[in-house]
């Protein structure tokens, strides 16, 4: 069945089959483009990528860490944010190379052998190194294949990197808590050390007082002993004289007896001045003995505490906690200064305890002197009894003279010993005073150290496991973007494809139909009416094309019906406007007009895919009739707006094109006789 429409570049009539072909051209173009390009992330499984894991796992704290294996699993498993995933094939280097060369693989993702070592190099003692993976695509890969492969691989690598950063930061935050606990324990230990040092200082002061009292008593004993020695010497001389003259001895026996009693009284006085009980507290000697017995352990503990404090100061990071590091350095230096003094005090505790235990033997000396005083009284009684018998007394007196000499020598030795005891007691008292002062300094230093450690502990943050995990997750990924889609082509993809389909549909209409009626030269109708008569069927086809393209888009994308209705209306207006513009191009430029129309389609594609095209091309594209159509279609499907301005632009282009076609028709109505004889070519 033929229609009364003029076919372009041919005298054959236009049939319904021709119109159906023209009508379905944009539907085929739009359908193919939308089906092939719309939301490609839903069909990622069409790409086959080889993953080669050359990674050598590392061992951390006796646990193997195969990060290459984990990344491989993450790539194969895919992301919850994407509806599909690439088809991953776990391969080796040779197979992957062969597959990439033969086209079996579209790309290769290689995980190098040092991947785990580099990814875990942030541990203390290691040199930090960034872990990398290598992505290699086929030389003949399609335009967007590289971007898709890179996007999926980068997403998996970024996720693994965020997880590693989160674990590292969580350990750092928990380390703050552990450091705070350790510093708190050290502060408590320093406080206890200060209290113990003060207690020892008080005991040492009491010891110094007791030793001074002992020195005073020993001086008195020395004086009495010297008097005893002098009296014993006199006694020996008198006894000798008594032996030489019994008569004189008999006369002076009473005097001698009185002298003996005075001697006994002096001895009793001396014995009374000597303490009857030990003056050194047993708790002090026991404490000093305990310190001496454990001196090595105490010195080792003091050295270890100073070393641990120095290690804490060295491990502190000034960039993170500068004030804390300053306090730790000061505390460490003070501990190192006090360590020699404490070590000397602990090592001399044994000799001091031994000397103090010797002082506790003085009560035995007092008992001996008391016994001597009793014997002196007995001698006096014997002298009185012997006064009547000079001969018998002579022998006894000579014995008394010998005993008195021995007593004089013993008293002299006692005086020398007590003098030495006095000197030792004085030196011991001075040493105890110095010891008390040193221990007092230790107590003050320990208090300062405890306060500094307490301040450092309060300055450090403390986190629970849950708080550390939450904070680490935020710090590892501090910035998140919302509203990002997974579609590589964005919201403008469908409007762009629809615009292209309708534009080439309008071009197809005037590939089949004549832009200017062949009867323009002979017709009596106005040029505008003739132009409209050629435009009418193409405009109707353009409107139908717009409705069909909108239907194909709805089948593929499933938009809201209100948005789609507006989109379909704009498509129909664009179809009519594009028909008018293509009619004008062919009417004005002839066959070159179709070439210009094809160039317009190419510019529309070039400037509608990416925003980085040269500014000159973008400026030209804004002047094309496809510009307002694309803007209006985008506004119909999104919140961008601009539908009204786009429709006005399409109406403007349609009106301008109709005027140009009318002018071209008017020009065709005048011709030469030679042109009339040639068949029409347009």
């Amino acid at each position: 069945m033929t229609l009364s429409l003029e076919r372009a570049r041919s005298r054959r009539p236009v049939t319904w089959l021709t119109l159906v072909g023209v009508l379905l051209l944009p539907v085929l173009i739009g359908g193919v483009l939308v089906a092939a390009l719309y939301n490609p992330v839903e069909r990622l499984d069409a790409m086959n990528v080889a993953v080669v894991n050359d990674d050598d796992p590392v061992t951390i704290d006796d646990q193997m860490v195969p990060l290459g294996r984990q990344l491989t699993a993450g790539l194969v498993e895919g992301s919850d944010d994407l509806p599909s995933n690439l088809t991953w094939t776990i391969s080796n280097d040779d197979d992957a190379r062969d597959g990439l060369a033969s086209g079996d693989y579209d790309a290769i993702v290689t995980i190098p052998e040092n991947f785990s070592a580099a990814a875990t190099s942030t541990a203390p003692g290691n040199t930090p190194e960034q872990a990398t993976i290598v992505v290699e695509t086929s030389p003949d890969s399609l335009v967007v294949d590289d971007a898709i492969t890179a996007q999926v691989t980068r997403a998996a690598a970024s996720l693994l990197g965020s997880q590693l950063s989160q674990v590292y930061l969580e350990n750092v935050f928990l380390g703050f808590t552990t450091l705070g606990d350790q510093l708190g324990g050290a502060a408590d230990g320093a406080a206890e050390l200060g209290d113990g040092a003060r207690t020892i200082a008080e005991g040492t002061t009491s010891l110094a007082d007791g030793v001074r009292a002992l020195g005073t008593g020993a001086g008195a004993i020395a004086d009495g002993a010297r008097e005893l020695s002098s009296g014993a010497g006199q006694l020996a001389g008198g006894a000798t004289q008594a032996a030489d003259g019994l008569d004189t001895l008999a006369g002076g026996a009473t005097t001698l007896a009185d002298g003996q009693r005075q001697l006994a009284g002096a001895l009793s006085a001396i014995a009374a001045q000597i303490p009857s009980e030990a003056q050194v507290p047993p708790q002090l000697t026991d404490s000093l003995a305990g310190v001496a017995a454990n001196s090595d352990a105490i010195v080792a503990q003091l050295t270890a505490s100073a070393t641990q404090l120095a290690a804490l100061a060295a491990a502190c990071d000034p960039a993170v906690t500068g004030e804390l590091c300053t306090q730790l350095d000061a505390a460490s230096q003070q501990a190192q200064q006090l360590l020699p003094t404490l070590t000397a005090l602990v090592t001399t505790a044994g000799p001091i305890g031994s000397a103090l235990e010797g002082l506790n033997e003085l009560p035995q000396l007092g008992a001996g002197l008391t016994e001597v005083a009793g014997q002196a009284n007995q001698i006096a009684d014997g002298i009185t009894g012997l006064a009547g018998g000079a001969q018998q007394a002579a022998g006894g007196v000579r014995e008394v003279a010998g005993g008195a000499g021995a007593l004089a020598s013993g008293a002299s030795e006692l005086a020398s010993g007590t003098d030495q005891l006095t000197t030792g007691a004085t030196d011991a008292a001075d040493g105890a005073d110095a010891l008390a002062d040193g221990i007092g300094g230790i107590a003050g230093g320990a208090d300062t150290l405890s306060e500094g450690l307490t301040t450092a502990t309060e300055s450090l943050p403390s986190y629970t496991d849950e708080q550390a995990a939450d904070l680490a997750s935020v710090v590892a990924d501090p910035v998140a973007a919302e509203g990002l889609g997974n579609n590589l082509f964005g919201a403008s993809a469908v409007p762009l494809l629809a615009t292209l389909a309708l534009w080439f549909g309008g071009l197809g209409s005037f590939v089949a139909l004549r832009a200017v009626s062949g009867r323009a030269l002979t017709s009596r109708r106005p040029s505008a009416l003739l132009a409209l008569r050629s435009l009418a069927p193409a405009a109707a086809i353009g409107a139908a094309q717009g409705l069909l393209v909108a239907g194909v888009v709805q089948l593929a994308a499933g938009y809201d019906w209100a948005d789609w209705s507006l989109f379909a209306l704009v498509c129909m207006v664009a179809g009519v406007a594009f028909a008018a513009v293509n009619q004008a191009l062919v009417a004005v430029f002839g066959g070159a007009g179709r070439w210009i129309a094809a160039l317009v389609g190419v510019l529309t594609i070039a400037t509608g895919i990416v925003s980085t095209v040269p500014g000159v091309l973008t400026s030209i594209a804004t002047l094309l009739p496809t510009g307002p159509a694309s803007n209006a279609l985008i506004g119909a499907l999104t919140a961008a707006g601009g539908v009204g301005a786009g429709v006005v632009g399409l109406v403007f282009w349609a009106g301008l094109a109709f005027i140009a076609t009318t002018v071209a028709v008017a020009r065709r109505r005048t011709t030469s006789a030679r042109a009339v004889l040639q068949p029409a070519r347009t």
Side-chain angles (χ1 to χ4, degrees):
M1 179 180 179
T2 61
L3 302 175
S4 58
L5 299 175
E6 299 178 78
R7 183 186 295 272
R9 303 176 63 85
S10 176
R11 296 183 181 276
R12 291 185 300 166
V14 175
T15 64
W16 284 105
L17 184 60
T18 303
L19 294 180
V20 170
V22 174
L23 184 64
L24 294 180
L25 177 62
V27 176
L28 292 175
I29 295 174
V32 170
L33 291 177
V34 171
L37 301 178
Y38 180 72
N39 200 9
V41 295
E42 292 183 350
R43 300 180 300 278
L44 294 178
D45 54 356
M47 293 184 63
N48 192 3
V49 180
V51 56
V52 179
N53 181 21
D54 293 333
D55 178 51
D56 291 333
V58 296
T59 301
I60 300 177
D61 295 333
D62 297 329
Q63 184 176 1
M64 187 175 68
V65 182
L67 296 182
R69 201 176 304 166
Q70 294 181 17
L71 178 57
T72 301
L75 291 171
V76 174
E77 182 181 356
S79 172
D80 295 336
D81 297 333
L82 297 176
S84 65
N85 189 15
L86 303 178
T87 298
W88 294 93
T89 301
I90 300 177
S91 180
N92 54 50
D93 292 304
D94 294 336
D95 176 72
R97 292 288 180 187
D98 294 340
L100 188 66
S102 63
D104 294 337
Y105 299 136
D106 297 301
I108 302 174
V109 175
T110 303
I111 303 173
E113 61 181 359
N114 67 333
F115 181 79
S116 292
T120 58
S121 61
T122 55
N126 295 333
T127 301
E129 181 181 357
Q130 187 179 33
T132 59
I133 59 177
V134 180
V135 180
E136 182 179 359
T137 57
S138 174
D140 58 352
S141 61
L142 300 183
V143 176
V144 191
D145 287 357
D146 289 0
I148 294 176
T149 304
Q151 181 181 8
V152 175
T153 306
R154 189 181 298 112
S158 176
L159 178 60
L160 181 60
S162 298
Q163 292 174 349
L164 292 174
S165 300
Q166 183 175 346
V167 172
Y168 176 78
L169 291 172
E170 185 175 348
N171 291 332
V172 170
F173 295 140
L174 291 177
F176 282 135
T177 303
T178 302
L179 179 60
D181 294 339
Q182 292 176 348
L183 290 178
D188 294 339
E192 293 177 359
L193 176 62
D195 295 339
R198 276 188 290 274
T199 302
I200 295 176
E202 293 173 358
T204 306
T205 302
S206 300
L207 173 63
D209 295 339
V211 172
R212 285 193 182 88
L214 177 63
T216 302
I221 293 173
D223 294 339
R226 277 188 289 272
E227 292 178 0
L228 174 62
S229 176
S230 177
Q234 294 176 1
L235 176 62
T240 301
Q241 292 177 1
D244 294 336
L246 292 176
D247 294 336
T248 304
L249 178 60
T254 302
T255 302
L256 179 59
D258 294 338
Q260 282 294 105
R261 289 186 177 89
Q262 291 177 0
L263 176 61
L267 292 175
S268 298
I270 293 173
Q273 292 180 1
I274 296 176
S276 61
E277 296 180 355
Q279 295 299 306
V280 179
Q283 294 85 354
L284 177 59
T285 58
D286 293 341
S287 298
L288 291 174
V291 171
N294 299 284
S295 59
D296 293 337
I298 294 174
V299 170
Q301 181 64 35
L302 291 174
T303 304
S305 299
T307 303
Q308 183 179 10
L309 187 58
L312 288 174
C316 182
D317 188 358
V320 179
T321 52
E323 183 178 356
L324 171 62
C325 294
T326 302
Q327 295 174 353
L328 285 176
D329 288 337
S332 175
Q333 294 175 3
Q334 189 171 14
Q336 293 295 334
Q337 293 173 358
L338 293 176
L339 183 60
T341 302
L342 291 176
T343 303
L345 291 176
V346 172
T347 54
T348 57
I352 294 174
S354 299
L356 294 179
E357 288 180 354
L359 296 178
N360 287 333
E361 296 179 1
L362 288 176
Q364 297 178 0
L365 177 62
L369 291 177
T370 302
E371 183 178 358
V372 171
Q375 292 177 355
N377 286 325
Q378 292 178 0
I379 292 172
D381 294 339
I383 292 174
T384 301
L386 292 176
Q391 293 298 326
Q392 296 178 354
V397 170
R398 287 187 179 91
E399 293 179 358
V400 170
L407 177 61
S409 299
S412 178
E413 292 179 358
L414 175 62
S416 299
T418 50
D419 286 338
Q420 294 177 0
L421 177 61
T422 301
T423 303
T426 301
D427 294 340
D430 294 339
D433 287 336
L435 177 63
D437 294 339
I439 295 177
I442 293 174
D447 290 339
T448 303
L449 175 62
S450 177
E451 293 175 358
L453 291 174
T454 302
T455 302
T457 302
E458 294 174 352
S459 301
L460 285 174
S462 179
Y463 303 100
T464 63
D465 292 346
E466 182 178 358
Q467 290 173 338
D470 293 341
L471 184 58
S473 64
V474 174
V475 176
D477 189 12
V479 180
E482 295 183 355
L484 299 178
N486 296 318
N487 194 334
L488 295 177
F489 293 97
S492 63
V494 168
L496 175 63
L497 298 179
T499 300
L500 290 174
L502 292 175
W503 175 257
F504 285 110
L507 175 60
S509 296
F510 288 99
V511 171
L513 302 178
R514 291 179 66 93
V516 178
S517 174
R519 295 185 291 272
L521 186 61
T522 60
S523 177
R524 297 180 180 180
R525 296 177 179 178
S527 298
L529 185 59
L530 291 174
L532 181 61
R533 183 176 181 180
S534 298
L535 174 62
I541 293 173
Q545 288 173 340
L547 185 60
L548 290 174
V549 169
V552 171
V553 168
Q554 182 65 3
L555 291 176
Y559 291 108
D560 180 76
W561 284 105
D563 295 338
W564 180 82
S565 299
L566 181 59
F567 177 79
L569 180 60
V570 174
C571 285
M572 295 174 68
V573 174
V576 174
F578 289 167
V581 173
N582 277 282
Q583 180 192 21
L585 289 175
V586 176
V588 174
F589 300 104
R594 298 186 182 93
W595 186 88
I596 295 174
L599 182 60
V600 170
V602 172
L603 286 174
T604 301
I605 295 175
T607 58
I609 293 179
V610 66
S611 300
T612 58
V613 296
V616 176
L617 296 180
T618 303
S619 300
I620 295 174
T622 57
L623 301 176
L624 300 177
T626 54
S630 180
N631 293 334
L633 292 176
I634 292 174
L637 296 179
T638 65
V643 176
V647 171
V648 170
L650 289 173
V651 172
F652 169 78
W653 271 105
L656 183 63
F658 182 73
I659 294 173
T661 302
T662 302
V663 172
V665 170
R667 291 180 58 188
R668 295 288 183 90
R669 306 189 80 169
T670 59
T671 185
S672 63
R674 181 178 179 182
V676 173
L677 297 178
Q678 294 178 350
R681 297 284 184 187
T682 61

